[in-house]
Structures are given as structure tokens and as C-alpha cells.
């Protein structure tokens, strides 16, 4: 008779954080739509809508609460950069997630944290959240000016 | 390796057409697209190029966009496809861009069936949409592309300077008026299967209605040096993680950035 039982669909929360992801702020409704689409179509889970992370606190209270929630299989983020900027706070989040066996999914990067070995790949991504990659380029330094040559001017 | 003549040609023309140094990877791209586009279709020619050229007789115009979107979704699901793509153009990218690479997250598929007025892309420079002048577009045809409306059009750096000035400064002219004025300064490119087109997105380019009797199928994807600027003058989404993905990251880049992070976190006294 077992084959008549429908398989339980795992539930994932969509995490909403209103900080900029490399210069782009996604409104809550857009984050909800992106997370829902990813959870439903990519992970094959059921979407759970959560509240916005507290923009005033620095304790990631909404995220920590979601990780403590027994009914959830995991949490879906727009990006790795939606995680706390502070490394020790991130490590705390990973610790809770691994202990509670929660999966963390990242939509833009299309990868996830399910086990300890997955952490390195996610942490490596934080190189690309440094100013070198996120600051707008408007001027040239003295060093860069040595490369100026009109024959390479395309505009 | 690109030779001096090829680099000069890129400098003069703003683009380069060169045979791939990895035909096997290119053939893999072609095989993959053939499989996707022929799925659930009857009496499809076994000759891949023949099928691509006559694709319009296997699909209704109305269905084209859904067909294309579904194919693009399939392409981008496949990680190997990205490797085949990069390897097909690696020699040219090594010469023009470098070997530590950021790759556009989504590879695009273009299907230009005869007389389709919904797939036109008027003259434009990708820079206007916030793309980095440090990147190149790698454009790969999956068949022979004729020097006609079957292909895409592009101008050259010298004329691009004039056109760009007019586009960015004119107060009453439209894009189409400016295009018509400079029409003779654009050319359609002939590119044979096995060749790769690489161009600077700064240069004005686009396509018109394909008035030939054959469909054209091509792929395009953008590449840049990982450590070159992303948001130039305007802050947009053309960066990591929105538009680009780190594709090749060398160990010393990881060591260097981690070193800076450690000093900033005062793990030790690193300033001199």
C-alpha cells in the first residue's frame, strides 16, 4: 500500500533581506517571487513566505528563527551575499544550519549548503563582495593612465 | 595564440573572426542544440546544418519565442555546455582578455527565421545598458552565416566614435535615423561554421529582418577578465552575482584577497 502514499514535499522558507546585493536592492515582493519560483521549480519544494529580516538589528533574528523552525527543510536566499556580511555571524548561521540539518539554497549562484564541505565554495564567493568588485569605476589612476592610447579608443 | 596581425585587426575593426582551436567542443555545442531543437519534431533531417537552415518549416512563427526560451533554459541547465563554450573560444579569449575569467551567467541562443520581424535588434552598443567596456561578446554560429541579412551587422571603431557621439548628444534624431545616416558604415559579417566571432560590445551592432530563405542559429555570451572593472560609470546589475559568474579564479587571487581580509580584520599587524 506504500506506493499509494504521496511523498511529503519539503518546505523551504524564502529569506527576505533588503540590503543591496552588489548595488541592487530587490523589493520584498520581487524577492518573494524569485524565491518562490526557485523553491517550487528548481528544488521541488513548497514555498514558505517569511517576514523581512530586521533592518535595524544586527543579530539576524529572522534568519536564525527560520533555522530553528522544525517544519522547514531549509532556507532559500537570493544570493550568497544575502548572508550576514560579518564572517563570524555567517559562521554562526552555518553552525546552526548544519546542526539542525537545514539546507541553504542560493538562487543567483545556483548552489547550496547541505554539508560541511559546501562551506568553502560559499565563503570563496565573498571575495566578490569586496570593494574591488563592487565599487563603480569612474576615474583612472596614474598607473592606469600609462595604458592610454588613442588607437584603442572605440568611443 | 593570437598573432600580432590578428590583434591589430581587432584594434582596427573592433571584432575578430577566427577558426576555433577546439572544434570538438564546438561540435558538442552544435550536437547539444540539435538535440534540444529536434526533440518531439518529426522527419527532422539528420544533417544538423540542413535542419538548422530549414528550422522555420518545422515550427510556427507564433511558437518561436516559447521554443527559443525553452531551448535557452535547457542550455543553461547544462554545466558542460559552459565548458564547451569557453573552450571553443579559449584561444581568442587568452589573446584578448586573459585566462582568469568571468563568464556571463546566461548563454543566449538566437534563432532568426526568414521574414520574422519580431526578432530584430536595432543598432545599439551594449555599453548603453551598463555593460563593461572590459568585456567581449563571443558570438558562435552553428552553421555557415552569409554576408547578408542572414548575419548581424557591425561598424568599426573609427565610425563608432562618430555614431556614438550622435546617439549620446542628439536632441532630435532617433536611433533609426542615425542608423540610416550611417548605414554604409555597417557591414554584415560572413562567418563559417567552425569560426568564432569576438567583438567589443562598445561597437554599434544589431540585426535586421532575415530576408534570406534560411534560418540562422547562433549563440552569444560575454566574457571579461575576472579582475577588470564591472560597473563603469554607472552602477547596474552587470556584475557578480547578477550578470557574471566567476568562471576561472586563479589560486593567487584567492590568496591575495584573503590576505587583505586578514589584515583588515586585524588578525595580524599587516600595514607597513
Amino acid at each position: 500500500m506504500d506506493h499509494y502514499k504521496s511523498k511529503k514535499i519539503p518546505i523551504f522558507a524564502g529569506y527576505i533581506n533588503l540590503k543591496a546585493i552588489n548595488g541592487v536592492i530587490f523589493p520584498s515582493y520581487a524577492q518573494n517571487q524569485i524565491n518562490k519560483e526557485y523553491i517550487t521549480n528548481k528544488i521541488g519544494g513548497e514555498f514558505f513566505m517569511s517576514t523581512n529580516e530586521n533592518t535595524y538589528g544586527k543579530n539576524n533574528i529572522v534568519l536564525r528563527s527560520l533555522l530553528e523552525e522544525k517544519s522547514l527543510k531549509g532556507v532559500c536566499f537570493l544570493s550568497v551575499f544575502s548572508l550576514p556580511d560579518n564572517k563570524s555571524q555567517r559562521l554562526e548561521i552555518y553552525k546552526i544550519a548544519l546542526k539542525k540539518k537545514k539546507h541553504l539554497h542560493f538562487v543567483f549562484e545556483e548552489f547550496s549548503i547541505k554539508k560541511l564541505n559546501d562551506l568553502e565554495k560559499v565563503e570563496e564567493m565573498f571575495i566578490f563582495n569586496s570593494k574591488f568588485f563592487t565599487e563603480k569605476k569612474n576615474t583612472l589612476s596614474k598607473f592606469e593612465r600609462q595604458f592610454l592610447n588613442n588607437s584603442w579608443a572605440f568611443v | 595564440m593570437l598573432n600580432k596581425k590578428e590583434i591589430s585587426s581587432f584594434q582596427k575593426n573592433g571584432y575578430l573572426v577566427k577558426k576555433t582551436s577546439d572544434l570538438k567542443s564546438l561540435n558538442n555545442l552544435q550536437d547539444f542544440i540539435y538535440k534540444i531543437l529536434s526533440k518531439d519534431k518529426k522527419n527532422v533531417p539528420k544533417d544538423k546544418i540542413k535542419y538548422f537552415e530549414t528550422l522555420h518549416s518545422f515550427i510556427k512563427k507564433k511558437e518561436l519565442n516559447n521554443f527559443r526560451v525553452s531551448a535557452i533554459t535547457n542550455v543553461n541547465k547544462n554545466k558542460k555546455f559552459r565548458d564547451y563554450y569557453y573552450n571553443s573560444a579559449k584561444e581568442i579569449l587568452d589573446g584578448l582578455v586573459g585566462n582568469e575569467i568571468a563568464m556571463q551567467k546566461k548563454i543566449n541562443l538566437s534563432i532568426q527565421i526568414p521574414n520574422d520581424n519580431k526578432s530584430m535588434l536595432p543598432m545599439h552598443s551594449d555599453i548603453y545598458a551598463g555593460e563593461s567596456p572590459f568585456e567581449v561578446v563571443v558570438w558562435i554560429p552553428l552553421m555557415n552565416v552569409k554576408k547578408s541579412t542572414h548575419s548581424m551587422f557591425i561598424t568599426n571603431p573609427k565610425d563608432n566614435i562618430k555614431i556614438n557621439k550622435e546617439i549620446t548628444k542628439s536632441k532630435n534624431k532617433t536611433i533609426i535615423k542615425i542608423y540610416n545616416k550611417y548605414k554604409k558604415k555597417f557591414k554584415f559579417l560572413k562567418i563559417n561554421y567552425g569560426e568564432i566571432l569576438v567583438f567589443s560590445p562598445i561597437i554599434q551592432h544589431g540585426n535586421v529582418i532575415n530576408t534570406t530563405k534560411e534560418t540562422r542559429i547562433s549563440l552569444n555570451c560575454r566574457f571579461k577578465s575576472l579582475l577588470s572593472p564591472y560597473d563603469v560609470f554607472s552602477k547596474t546589475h552587470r556584475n557578480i552575482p547578477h550578470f557574471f559568474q566567476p568562471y576561472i579564479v586563479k589560486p593567487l587571487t584567492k590568496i591575495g584577497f584573503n590576505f587583505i581580509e586578514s589584515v583588515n580584520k586585524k588578525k595580524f599587524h599587516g600595514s607597513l
Side-chain angles (χ1 to χ4, degrees), chain A residues 88-105:
Chain A
S88 58
Q89 287 187 20
R90 285 201 302 278
L91 295 179
E92 185 61 28
I93 295 298
Y94 301 148
K95 199 174 152 188
I96 301 171
L98 293 172
K99 189 179 167 194
K100 304 277 175 187
K101 294 192 168 82
K102 306 287 187 197
H103 296 176
L104 308 182
H105 289 268

Side-chain angles (χ1 to χ4, degrees), chain A residues 21-24 26 79 81 108-110 124 127-128 130 132-134 136-138 151-155, chain B residues 11 105-106 157 160-161 164 200 202-203 226-227 230-235 239-242 246 254 257:
Chain A
I21 299 171
N22 199 349
V24 185
F26 292 83
S79 167
F81 302 158
F108 294 157
E109 292 83 4
E110 293 187 42
E124 271 187 5
I127 287 176
F128 305 106
S130 68
F132 184 89
F133 291 93
T134 58
K136 204 165 67 172
K137 179 83 174 163
N138 287 326
S151 65
W152 282 104
F154 284 12
V155 284
Chain B
Q11 184 179 21
K105 280 171 71 181
K106 302 287 176 204
N160 195 64
I161 291 173
N164 178 65
S200 160
I202 299 175
I203 307 290
L226 183 81
L227 300 177
Y230 291 76
D231 295 294
V232 178
F233 288 111
S234 47
K235 187 75 195 169
N239 51 39
I240 298 168
H242 304 290
K254 296 178 190 176
F257 278 102

Side-chain angles (χ1 to χ4, degrees), chain A residues 15-119:
Chain A
Y15 177 63
I16 310 292
N17 192 318
L18 290 172
K19 68 177 176 177
I21 299 171
N22 199 349
V24 185
I25 295 173
F26 292 83
S28 309
Y29 70 87
Q31 293 196 37
N32 269 328
Q33 281 173 5
I34 296 168
N35 280 331
K36 186 178 180 183
E37 205 271 338
Y38 195 82
I39 289 168
T40 312
N41 298 331
K42 183 91 181 181
I43 313 174
E46 189 180 318
F47 172 67
F48 173 84
M49 193 164 75
S50 66
T51 54
N52 286 6
E53 182 58 271
N54 183 347
T55 50
Y56 292 94
K58 287 181 179 171
N59 55 358
N60 314 297
I61 188 162
V62 173
L63 178 55
R64 284 190 295 104
S65 305
L66 290 172
L67 293 175
E68 298 284 350
E69 179 57 52
K70 281 183 184 164
S71 61
L72 297 176
K73 180 70 190 165
V75 179
C76 183
F77 303 72
L78 283 201
S79 167
V80 162
F81 302 158
S82 305
L83 285 164
D85 295 330
N86 181 295
K87 191 169 180 177
S88 58
Q89 287 187 20
R90 285 201 302 278
L91 295 179
E92 185 61 28
I93 295 298
Y94 301 148
K95 199 174 152 188
I96 301 171
L98 293 172
K99 189 179 167 194
K100 304 277 175 187
K101 294 192 168 82
K102 306 287 187 197
H103 296 176
L104 308 182
H105 289 268
F106 306 98
V107 177
F108 294 157
E109 292 83 4
E110 293 187 42
F111 53 66
S112 59
I113 295 176
K114 293 177 181 170
K115 52 187 187 309
L116 193 63
N117 285 349
D118 299 327
L119 293 183

Side-chain angles (χ1 to χ4, degrees), chain B:
Chain B
M1 274 282 282
L2 294 189
N3 57 40
K4 276 187 180 171
K5 204 178 153 191
E6 288 166 328
I7 292 185
S8 294
S9 167
F10 181 79
Q11 184 179 21
K12 188 182 163 216
N13 299 314
Y15 72 86
L16 183 69
V17 175
K18 186 177 166 63
K19 265 190 189 171
T20 177
S21 58
D22 188 348
L23 189 60
K24 202 176 163 193
S25 285
L26 181 56
N27 287 339
N28 284 333
L29 295 179
Q30 193 194 45
D31 284 347
F32 191 86
I33 297 294
Y34 175 81
K35 275 178 198 156
I36 289 175
L37 298 186
S38 59
K39 199 182 167 198
D40 303 327
K41 300 275 175 215
K42 285 175 187 168
N43 304 320
V44 165
K46 283 188 179 158
D47 179 334
K48 296 179 194 90
I49 289 182
K50 184 84 191 155
Y51 176 55
F52 291 156
E53 284 172 351
T54 57
L55 186 77
H56 50 277
S57 55
F58 292 86
I59 183 165
K60 289 175 189 157
K61 237 185 212 178
K62 275 195 283 184
E63 297 167 355
L64 182 63
N65 201 43
N66 285 343
F67 185 68
R68 180 171 31 217
V69 170
S70 147
I72 290 173
T73 306
N74 271 308
V75 161
N76 285 295
K77 268 185 198 166
N78 191 307
K79 289 244 160 99
K80 273 189 183 169
F81 197 88
R82 296 179 72 74
D83 296 336
Y84 295 144
Y85 203 102
Y86 172 70
N87 288 335
S88 299
K90 186 181 182 304
E91 187 193 18
I92 311 174
L93 289 170
D94 281 351
L96 295 178
V97 175
N99 62 4
E100 190 166 31
I101 292 285
M103 182 175 181
Q104 188 179 349
K105 280 171 71 181
K106 302 287 176 204
I107 295 170
N108 300 301
L109 172 73
S110 179
I111 302 175
Q112 301 288 335
I113 65 172
N115 304 313
D116 174 24
N117 59 5
K118 288 190 175 140
S119 303
M120 283 193 306
L121 200 52
M123 172 186 78
H124 67 282
S125 159
D126 296 351
I127 303 306
Y128 300 154
E131 296 201 22
S132 173
F134 290 83
E135 75 193 38
V136 289
V137 182
V138 173
W139 198 93
I140 304 182
L142 298 178
M143 65 230 288
N144 295 333
V145 173
K146 296 175 178 60
K147 188 181 171 63
S148 68
T149 58
H150 192 233
S151 184
M152 58 165 272
F153 62 74
I154 191 163
T155 188
N156 59 78
K158 202 175 150 196
D159 291 309
N160 195 64
I161 291 173
K162 293 181 216 158
I163 300 167
N164 178 65
K165 199 174 172 185
E166 208 152 328
I167 288 179
T168 51
K169 300 220 163 156
S170 171
K171 288 189 175 158
N172 50 16
K173 286 181 183 159
T174 61
I175 296 280
I176 192 77
K177 267 189 186 168
I178 297 170
Y179 172 64
N180 285 333
K181 179 179 169 186
Y182 290 98
K183 209 169 181 177
K184 285 185 181 164
K185 305 295 184 189
F186 286 89
K187 59 179 177 183
F188 289 98
L189 300 176
K190 177 185 189 299
I191 311 161
N192 292 323
Y193 178 69
E195 290 178 327
I196 310 274
L197 162 67
V198 175
F199 63 95
S200 160
I202 299 175
I203 307 290
Q204 303 285 336
H205 60 281
N207 68 266
V208 292
I209 297 173
N210 175 6
T211 55
T212 70
K213 290 178 179 170
E214 290 168 8
T215 293
R216 183 254 289 170
I217 298 181
S218 56
L219 298 157
N220 69 78
C221 185
R222 287 152 183 82
F223 292 85
K224 66 192 285 300
S225 163
L226 183 81
L227 300 177
S228 63
Y230 291 76
D231 295 294
V232 178
F233 288 111
S234 47
K235 187 75 195 169
T236 69
H237 67 292
R238 309 285 186 184
N239 51 39
I240 298 168
H242 304 290
F243 191 74
F244 280 104
Q245 190 177 65
Y247 182 68
I248 298 173
V249 185
K250 297 290 186 187
L252 265 295
T253 296
K254 296 178 190 176
I255 290 173
F257 278 102
N258 278 291
F259 176 84
I260 292 170
E261 178 74 2
S262 298
V263 173
N264 285 335
K265 295 281 183 221
K266 297 185 174 31
K267 280 190 183 167
F268 69 97
H269 183 65
S271 59
L272 296 170

